[in-house]
Amino acid sequence: MATSPYMIDVTGDSFDHAVLARSREVPVLVDFWAAWCAPCRSLMPILAKLAEEYQGRFFLAKVNSDEQQGLAARFGVRSLPTVKLFKQGAEVAQFVGAQPERMIRELLDAHIDRPSDALLRAALDQEATGDRDGALARLKGAHETDPKNDRLTAHLGRLLCEQGRVTDSEAILKGLSPRALGDAEIGAI
């Protein structure tokens, strides 16, 4: 496989820097694999393709579990392939076994910042300073450009509801993805 600026082989010695420290800047997807594992061999091309396609919006770290048994034990790997996603120095998601590309995309997209996330943060800052109407206007504009951003949709629905616009809130919240309904942050909203 060709080398990529978005992938690296990781060892026990390099894990903390290559995964945990780096995950404070960009999510890191860690693939625990072994050469003898057929599902691992079918999964790796999908992960490599996504790493290239996402162009640095996440980083792919590969751990050969046969050679790095201590690292696999440290993270409770019992079956291969096991893939864990780290963000801000902590594990935030995982899956075991070869998965379809669509499912992996959904997992990544749930944890990778989107351009509309900056607008969401600005709107929440605006709300925190007391400008709820300005925050609502900013959220509406952001929602028009990215209606699939579930966190943005949830906050827009919340603000509409808090302003007594329950029907509008319900209409917006119907746009949440099924995955969003199981998300703790969105559930709290």
Side-chain angles (χ1 to χ4, degrees):
M1 183 174 302
T3 60
S4 166
Y6 312 116
M7 290 188 281
I8 190 172
D9 290 314
V10 179
T11 66
D13 292 336
S14 65
F15 189 90
D16 287 351
H17 175 71
V19 174
L20 300 181
R22 182 173 278 168
S23 76
R24 297 189 185 288
E25 299 168 15
V26 62
V28 179
L29 194 67
V30 180
D31 176 28
F32 291 89
W33 66 280
W36 52 264
C37 169
C40 298
R41 290 191 306 270
S42 67
L43 180 63
M44 180 46 69
I46 295 169
L47 298 179
K49 173 189 171 205
L50 290 172
E52 291 300 319
E53 182 181 315
Y54 278 67
Q55 293 287 298
R57 291 176 41 224
F58 82 91
F59 191 78
L60 177 60
K62 303 179 298 179
V63 177
N64 183 328
S65 295
D66 283 342
E67 295 174 2
Q68 304 299 320
Q69 292 178 9
L71 198 50
R74 174 180 168 188
F75 289 97
V77 174
R78 303 219 185 291
S79 182
L80 295 177
T82 292
V83 178
K84 296 177 179 276
L85 183 64
F86 290 81
K87 187 173 182 180
Q88 297 300 321
E91 181 184 330
V92 295
Q94 77 165 347
F95 64 86
V96 177
Q99 300 295 320
E101 182 177 326
R102 173 194 47 78
M103 195 281 320
I104 300 167
R105 277 183 194 282
E106 287 175 8
L107 179 133
L108 290 168
D109 290 344
H111 296 283
I112 291 176
D113 281 348
R114 306 160 74 116
S116 61
D117 287 336
L119 297 171
L120 171 60
R121 285 189 294 276
L124 294 177
D125 289 345
Q126 204 169 359
E127 180 186 13
T129 65
D131 184 5
R132 296 173 70 80
D133 291 335
L136 182 59
R138 188 178 297 242
L139 286 175
K140 283 182 180 178
H143 187 262
E144 288 174 12
T145 64
D146 189 2
K148 295 192 182 291
N149 184 333
D150 287 328
R151 290 181 298 240
L152 190 149
T153 300
H155 281 287
L156 176 57
R158 173 187 58 81
L159 269 179
L160 287 167
C161 187
E162 288 172 359
Q163 289 191 347
R165 298 171 57 188
V166 176
T167 303
D168 292 340
S169 175
E170 288 174 345
I172 291 292
L173 294 174
K174 284 182 181 176
L176 288 172
S177 70
R179 181 209 48 82
L181 302 176
D183 183 276
E185 177 188 353
I186 291 171
I189 294 170

